[in-house]
Amino acid sequence: MNLRYFVSAVIVGLIVIQPTALATELTLREALSKALQGNSDLKKSPYQQRMAAAGRLQASLKPNPTMGLELENVAGTGRNKDLSAAEATLSFSQLIEMGDKRNQRIKYASAAEKKITAEFEYSKVEVLAETASRFYRVIELQRLFAWNKQQQARLHDTLEIAEERIDAGAIPSSEATRIRLEVRRAQTKEQDLEGRINEAKVRLAAMWASTSNFSAVQGEMNDSLPLPSQAQVEQAANQAPEFLRLIDEERLVNARSQATIADATADLTFGVGARYNNEFDDTSLVFKLSMPLQLNNPNQGRIEAHSAEREMLLDQQRIIREQIRSYGRALLIRMQTNQGYLENIRQALLPLANQLAEETLSGYQRGNQTLLQVLDAQNELAKTEYEQIKRRSAIYQDSIELERLTGQPLLEVSR
């Protein structure tokens, strides 16, 4: 699937599939739709395309004919005194462009127009990827907010047990104070997360130049996101926007070079007119034909500069493609590493952390465990849950970056 099909598929998906979220919740599909309709960078494109079309129209225009009037033998001396021997010539001349100038000029303007159209598609990829990235950042913060609430609930359960044991005279009241301190810390963290969520929502809404008039975003981050193969990533580098931009630029430079070569060809000016001799009351036809002498190529420097620029762009294409492949491989390795770590969390670390937290809390209730052991176990569980959220988020952000890099829906995260 090439870049154009990728963008088209996203847009069709936005139109066909109806959102199912609550009115105050924003789905990824809705966010992408709003960004495509309201992003300031994309809104410039219709004007730029009109300007490019106007440039192509301008390139297609032919030179207008020239009308001239000449008076000779006027206001002189002797027989040329006054108008008695005057000669008047009315002529029409036309510049005839040689060297296929007009056609090459049109090709260059058409190449510039195609480049602007293609740039619009690349900009769509950038907008879709950035919107998806900001959307999943809000999801990450919402998950952290829920994780913090869960940690507070565990601390409150521990506080209830501690207060029961204090009433029974089994432990000092300082243990309840210690737990309340942890609760207060979690509440402070909650306020911080709430502020960061609001900031992230504003940043998301900025993608379509609007206010964040939604209460939350709706979406999930799964542990087992299908990853592409290394071969898919390397093949996708051939359709990467950064690489395609260089190809478009090289084509434009080549078209400009051909137009410059054609422009160096001398043009022919043909004219025809009528001459009237007042002295003899005679008329006659006058024909003109002129062409500048091209003793040297007037565009030789420009042609050489275009050639050097084209060679530079071809060299840059090779380098950029390899850089994209290398960066894509690095992203893929990082995602595979994070996915492997998530699998270990799901299968081993999280069950053991839950078991440890339950056993120490039960032991504390019976008087077999200390408060520090309980808090340490709960902290281990919280760290494991936090790591799970962060690793999931990292995989999604890397997958979006990979789609942004290649311009291809390798993971279909931003659909």
Side-chain angles (χ1 to χ4, degrees), residues 237-380:
N238 294 325
Q239 296 297 320
E242 189 176 0
F243 177 67
L244 294 179
R245 280 189 176 101
L246 289 173
I247 293 179
D248 294 338
E249 187 65 29
E250 184 266 327
R251 289 172 178 166
L252 185 63
V253 169
N254 186 56
R256 185 166 66 232
S257 177
Q258 294 302 314
T260 304
I261 292 172
D263 187 60
T265 305
D267 294 330
L268 180 68
T269 301
F270 175 76
V272 62
R275 175 174 293 172
Y276 172 74
N277 189 307
N278 191 40
E279 182 180 6
F280 300 105
D281 194 25
D282 289 335
T283 59
S284 60
L285 290 178
V286 177
F287 295 95
K288 291 183 178 181
L289 188 64
S290 65
M291 175 183 288
L293 295 176
Q294 298 282 53
L295 300 180
N296 52 57
N297 190 332
N299 290 336
Q300 185 174 351
R302 295 189 184 93
I303 294 170
E304 184 63 29
H306 293 158
S307 177
E309 185 178 1
R310 185 169 180 269
E311 291 176 9
M312 177 191 70
L313 290 170
L314 290 172
D315 189 52
Q316 285 292 305
Q317 289 175 26
R318 178 185 59 80
I319 295 172
I320 291 298
R321 181 164 54 185
E322 286 306 313
Q323 287 179 340
I324 292 171
R325 286 175 175 172
S326 297
Y327 186 35
R329 287 193 292 266
L331 285 172
L332 183 59
I333 291 172
R334 189 163 66 188
M335 286 189 290
Q336 291 169 342
T337 301
N338 283 331
Q339 200 166 74
Y341 196 95
L342 275 176
E343 186 67 16
N344 285 328
I345 289 177
R346 187 179 65 83
Q347 291 188 353
L349 298 179
L350 200 55
L352 287 173
N354 271 305
Q355 182 181 350
L356 177 63
E358 291 171 1
E359 290 176 351
T360 54
L361 185 61
S362 178
Y364 179 66
Q365 192 170 17
R366 296 191 305 269
N368 298 328
Q369 301 282 344
T370 66
L371 177 61
L372 288 178
Q373 289 175 315
V374 173
L375 295 179
D376 182 65
Q378 290 179 350
N379 186 50
E380 286 296 327

Side-chain angles (χ1 to χ4, degrees), residues 386-403:
Y386 178 85
E387 188 70 20
Q388 185 179 42
I389 294 172
K390 296 299 288 186
R391 295 274 178 161
R392 282 175 181 166
S393 179
I395 290 176
Y396 272 72
Q397 292 294 341
D398 283 343
S399 67
I400 293 168
E401 179 62 22
L402 191 58
E403 289 194 352

Side-chain angles (χ1 to χ4, degrees), residues 177-195:
T177 304
R178 179 73 174 84
I179 299 171
R180 290 190 186 97
L181 175 60
E182 292 299 321
V183 171
R184 189 59 184 170
R185 282 177 176 167
Q187 290 172 344
T188 303
K189 181 66 175 177
E190 177 184 334
Q191 294 174 355
D192 176 67
L193 285 170
E194 190 173 8

